[in-house]
């Protein structure tokens, strides 16, 4: 080997996987039994990583392509995964809806689609209140299966470090199954019928989708007929995972210094993101993610000031590395027209390179008179449409979308082709956190994006 051998020891720097502990932190409760937490973290450190740096770097390159408009990111899944839903049906259904949507997007946008599931680790949730009160009793809020348990008892709500191990195991089982499905041919583009979910009867989206899939299959046949060779590279699709990097003890325990790259990687997931509530440029979460080499996302809400955004850009991507930083804007249908040009302007003035992704869900959450948390389909579409229009008029690139969705026929968001009303919500409302687009609504969004963002035909 020419040159110095890479050191296996991490250099002593101000940043280290635990340096976040010296910063102000929100949304992460302390463990009462610190010794038990330390034991669990030691065990997690010794277990193999869930993803590899090769995959992480491959994703970063694809995100860099999306940043330039050469690819499009589809990031989606549940608001929160639960341990209970770590089963075959739930995993297959999520994979299917993302694969189906991606075919629609590839066909419409004529660009590769980068598929990223909110999966295999999306187990921790920020909460608007630290406590919950019922009938005069006040307990800590439920913060996701990674942290505590949902039952309304003091024992269940106590943060339990053992749950980090249970989460690691479930994330690894989920990933194992997803990888096996994809490697085993399930995601072969020649057989999109594998991904067909049960449409409800008389669905306009179903007809449109099947026409499109047929066109894709015909295109593959045509090419293969013409060239006499199969499109081997198209046989298998790639699939990446993402979760909110919220519970820093879990992320810290699986962050490793890789001698062959001389960098630290958070190997719980390919693409962690910092949530809107933990994006303080001086806070613990930004400190932690500043030091890992993964591509990372940051949710940017309507309250973020240009000054804060500048600090985030400087802290999280000082070298302006392509694909490193994704800004996931979630401004709300009412605020995006005014707010987004300001964000784009700040990024441009700083000369920063970012991937812009639109989350049209989290700025549009509301409560109905009958007590359901919902999102109106029209507002979701309106935020998306405005995002496309603003990026186009600012000569910027909208490189992807971030959605909360399910392949099931739930009734959590109102509107869509079936015109779900507030009264319909009670019929099949399953989410314990944020309302998701159901199967048809998700496909409708994909079909709409495909039309909105289709490359303009040149004369
Ligand atoms: C989420 O993605 O589920 C979430 C909590 O989003 P945000 O941080 O944008 O509110
Ligand atoms: Co959510």
């Amino acid at each position: 080997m020419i040159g110095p051998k890479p050191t296996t020891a991490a250099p002593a720097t101000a940043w280290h996987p635990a340096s976040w502990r010296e910063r102000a932190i929100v949304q992460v409760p302390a463990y009462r039994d610190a010794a038990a937490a330390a034991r669990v973290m030691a065990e997690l450190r010794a277990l193999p990583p869930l993803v590899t740096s090769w995959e992480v770097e491959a994703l970063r390159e694809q995100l860099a392509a999306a940043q330039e408009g050469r690819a499009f990111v589809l990031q989606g899944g549940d608001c929160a995964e639960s341990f209970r839903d770590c089963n075959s049906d739930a995993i297959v259904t999520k994979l299917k809806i993302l694969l189906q949507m991606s075919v629609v997007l590839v066909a419409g946008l004529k660009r590769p689609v980068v598929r990223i599931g909110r999966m295999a680790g999306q187990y921790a949730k920020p909460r608007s209140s630290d406590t919950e009160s019922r009938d005069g009793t006040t307990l800590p809020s439920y913060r996701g299966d990674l942290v505590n348990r949902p039952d309304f008892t003091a024992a269940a709500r106590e943060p339990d470090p053992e749950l980090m191990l249970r989460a690691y195991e479930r994330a690894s089982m989920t990933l194992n199954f997803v990888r096996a499905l994809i490697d085993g041919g399930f995601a072969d583009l020649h057989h999109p019928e594998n991904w067909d979910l049960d449409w409800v009867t008389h669905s306009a989206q179903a007809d449109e989708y099947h026409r499109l899939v047929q066109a894709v299959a015909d295109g593959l046949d045509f090419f293969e007929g013409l060239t006499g060779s199969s499109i081997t590279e198209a046989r298998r699709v790639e699939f990446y995972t993402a979760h909110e990097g919220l519970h820093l003890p879990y992320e810290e325990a699986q962050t490793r210094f890789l001698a062959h790259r001389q960098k630290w990687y958070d190997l719980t997931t390919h693409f962690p993101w910092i949530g809107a509530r933990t994006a303080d440029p001086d806070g613990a979460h930004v400190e932690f993610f500043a030091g890992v080499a993964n591509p990372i996302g940051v949710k940017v809400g309507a309250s973020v000031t240009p000054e804060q955004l500048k600090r985030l850009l400087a802290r999280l991507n000082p070298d302006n590395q392509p694909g490193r930083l994704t800004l996931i804007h979630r401004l709300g249908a009412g605020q995006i027209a005014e707010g987004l040009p300001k964000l784009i302007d700040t990024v441009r003035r700083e000369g920063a390179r970012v991937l812009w992704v639109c989350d049209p869900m989290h700025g549009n959450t509301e409560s109905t008179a009958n007590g359901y948390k919902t999102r109106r389909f029209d507002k979701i579409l309106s935020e998306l449409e405005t995002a496309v229009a603003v990026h186009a008029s600012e000569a910027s690139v909208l490189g992807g979308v971030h959605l909360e969705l399910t392949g099931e026929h739930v009734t959590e968001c109102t509107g869509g082709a079936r015109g779900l009303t507030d009264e319909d919500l009670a019929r099949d409302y399953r989410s314990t956190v944020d309302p998701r687009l159901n199967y048809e609504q998700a496909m409708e969004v994909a079909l709409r994006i495909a039309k909105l963002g289709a490359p303009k035909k040149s004369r």
Side-chain angles (χ1 to χ4, degrees), residues 79 118 125-126 244 273 275-277 299 330 362 404 434:
C79 183
R118 287 176 62 116
K125 294 307 298 173
E244 179 172 347
W273 78 86
R277 292 173 186 79
K299 293 283 201 91
R330 33 87 87 220
H362 287 88
E404 285 184 346
D434 289 341

Side-chain angles (χ1 to χ4, degrees), residues 360-381:
M361 314 296 295
H362 287 88
N364 295 312
T365 316
E366 54 188 271
S367 290
T368 63
N370 50 354
Y372 285 97
K373 212 176 173 188
T374 193
R375 289 165 174 154
R376 313 215 173 267
F377 192 76
D378 286 350
K379 287 198 176 166
I380 294 169
L381 271 190

Side-chain angles (χ1 to χ4, degrees), residues 211-428:
R211 270 198 305 276
L212 222 140
V213 163
Q214 194 52 50
V216 171
D218 290 350
L220 284 177
D221 287 349
F222 175 73
F223 180 87
E224 291 179 347
L226 200 67
T227 62
S229 59
S230 77
I231 306 177
T232 40
E233 271 164 31
R235 296 191 82 80
R236 208 206 286 158
V237 302
E238 282 169 353
F239 191 83
Y240 296 99
T241 62
H243 64 247
E244 179 172 347
L246 180 63
H247 195 58
L248 295 182
Y250 179 74
E251 309 297 328
E252 178 194 328
Q254 288 182 77
T255 293
R256 289 147 208 241
F257 183 74
L258 301 185
H260 60 100
R261 297 193 189 274
Q262 292 290 297
K263 285 182 197 157
W264 291 92
Y265 283 84
D266 178 351
L267 298 175
T268 58
T269 189
H270 302 110
F271 183 46
W273 78 86
I274 301 172
R277 292 173 186 79
T278 48
D280 172 1
D282 296 314
H285 289 81
V286 170
E287 167 66 17
F288 178 78
F289 286 105
V292 300
N294 303 57
I296 54 168
V298 188
K299 293 283 201 91
V300 183
S303 65
V304 171
T305 63
E307 200 43 47
Q308 281 169 328
L309 183 55
K310 274 191 220 169
R311 309 258 320 281
L312 284 171
L313 297 170
R315 289 278 286 131
L316 295 172
N317 197 14
D319 302 332
N320 228 352
Q321 186 189 28
R324 153 72 175 170
L325 184 61
T326 299
L327 295 182
I328 308 168
H329 51 78
R330 33 87 87 220
L331 299 164
Q335 313 231 38
I336 182 165
E338 203 193 318
L340 185 54
K342 293 184 189 155
L343 297 177
I344 295 174
D345 185 54
T346 303
V347 168
R348 185 166 289 144
R349 278 168 196 273
E350 293 304 291
R353 284 196 276 202
V354 301
L355 165 62
W356 292 103
V357 164
C358 174
D359 165 358
M361 314 296 295
H362 287 88
N364 295 312
T365 316
E366 54 188 271
S367 290
T368 63
N370 50 354
Y372 285 97
K373 212 176 173 188
T374 193
R375 289 165 174 154
R376 313 215 173 267
F377 192 76
D378 286 350
K379 287 198 176 166
I380 294 169
L381 271 190
S382 150
E383 179 156 0
L384 266 174
E385 282 169 6
T386 310
V388 170
V390 169
H391 280 287
S393 73
E394 298 283 329
S396 166
V397 176
L398 178 66
V401 286
H402 181 119
L403 302 166
E404 285 184 346
L405 51 82
T406 164
E408 292 167 76
H409 299 293
V410 300
T411 56
E412 297 173 5
C413 293
T414 58
R418 257 164 229 281
L420 293 184
T421 65
D422 288 5
E423 283 65 48
D424 290 319
L425 294 179
R427 209 168 60 233
D428 200 358

